[in-house]
Amino acid sequence: MEIVVVGRHTEVAPRFREHVEDKLSKVTQLAPYAQRVDVEVTHEPNPRQASSSERIELTVRDKGPVVRAEASASDRYAALDVATTKLLERLRRSHDRRKAKSARREARALPAQDAELQVEVESVVDDASVELADVIPAPTETDVAVETQLGDSPVVVRQKVHKTAPVTVEEAINEMELAGHPFYLFIEAETHQPAVVYHRHGWTYGVIRLDAQAEANE
């Protein structure tokens, strides 16, 4: 498994790279088919954000969904410890979920409703009155983050384009939890509608769909 460490606004010392490799050695135990782990180290020079000036973002690239975790602290070693703990927990949950899915295949005789997720589906129409494209240029390169400051304001918008393929609502929920995000944008496999799944509380999720259809990739 390859571990790629890059620094944004900072240099990454060889000693820290070695520490990263040691910390991430357990990844293969939970994700034996992982091909690469991307480690992004970011330093925030603003002294007002000293308590969270060091940010670590970990991304496991596997045959299945991408698994991510990130953390910030005043010390990058501490941030790495927290991010690694989150990552291993998400990989463990993914491993357990695969085992549960295998068990469900063996119990297909049970009523289908016993295995269904309770998902609240909401329909919305995009009626945005402000075209942000006139202010914020859309990125064109896949998986490369682009940050844009809005004029002289302190507001910074970070954008990234991801490759995607239509998925089911259940698959979107799984990928959202693996990425550790409170929401997940996706194209619904059956309707080809742009949609967002989000976590509400407990084991309850919500889905917002746009009244539109994405073009299917040929």
Side-chain angles (χ1 to χ4, degrees):
M1 179 184 71
E2 183 183 12
I3 298 177
V4 180
V5 183
V6 297
R8 297 181 68 247
H9 313 303
T10 186
E11 295 291 333
V12 181
R15 180 182 175 185
F16 185 76
R17 292 178 183 271
E18 293 176 1
H19 183 67
V20 168
E21 293 178 358
D22 182 62
K23 292 288 291 185
L24 296 179
S25 61
K26 297 179 181 179
V27 167
T28 53
Q29 298 176 14
L30 297 170
Y33 301 107
Q35 300 171 348
R36 189 175 84 244
V37 180
D38 292 330
V39 182
E40 186 175 283
V41 183
T42 305
H43 174 70
E44 172 54 60
N46 189 342
R48 294 184 179 179
Q49 300 183 24
S51 62
S52 58
S53 60
E54 300 293 333
R55 188 183 70 179
I56 303 293
E57 182 177 335
L58 307 175
T59 304
V60 176
R61 311 230 175 239
D62 204 340
K63 292 183 178 179
V66 171
V67 183
R68 289 190 176 88
E70 63 179 74
S72 298
S74 59
D75 176 79
R76 66 179 51 176
Y77 285 88
L80 177 64
D81 286 345
V82 175
T84 302
T85 299
K86 290 180 180 179
L87 182 71
L88 294 178
E89 177 59 26
R90 286 165 191 166
L91 289 172
R92 188 173 294 109
R93 290 172 65 183
S94 176
H95 176 73
D96 293 343
R97 190 175 291 112
R98 287 196 298 268
K99 290 172 58 178
K101 188 174 182 180
S102 177
R104 287 201 300 270
R105 290 197 188 102
E106 299 174 359
R108 290 192 180 279
L110 294 176
Q113 59 268 27
D114 291 345
E116 290 181 354
L117 287 173
Q118 293 183 351
V119 179
E120 177 185 272
V121 179
E122 303 174 15
S123 230
V124 298
V125 177
D126 182 12
D127 57 354
S129 59
V130 178
E131 295 185 4
L132 291 181
D134 294 338
V135 180
I136 307 174
T140 57
E141 192 172 353
T142 304
D143 288 330
V144 176
V146 176
E147 294 186 352
T148 305
Q149 184 172 357
L150 298 185
D152 297 328
S153 73
V155 177
V156 175
V157 178
R158 190 169 189 257
Q159 300 184 84
K160 185 182 288 188
V161 176
H162 295 279
K163 291 182 179 179
T164 186
V167 297
T168 65
V169 172
E170 182 177 359
E171 290 170 335
I173 291 174
N174 291 340
E175 295 196 22
M176 175 185 68
E177 291 186 342
L178 289 174
H181 295 319
F183 67 92
Y184 187 81
L185 176 65
F186 67 105
I187 303 297
E188 208 279 322
E190 182 176 355
T191 65
H192 287 280
Q193 288 179 310
V196 171
V197 63
Y198 62 95
H199 184 258
R200 297 183 66 208
H201 53 79
W203 292 97
T204 306
Y205 302 86
V207 178
I208 298 176
R209 303 174 187 269
L210 294 183
D211 187 14
Q213 282 192 330
E215 294 183 0
N217 293 328
E218 297 182 356

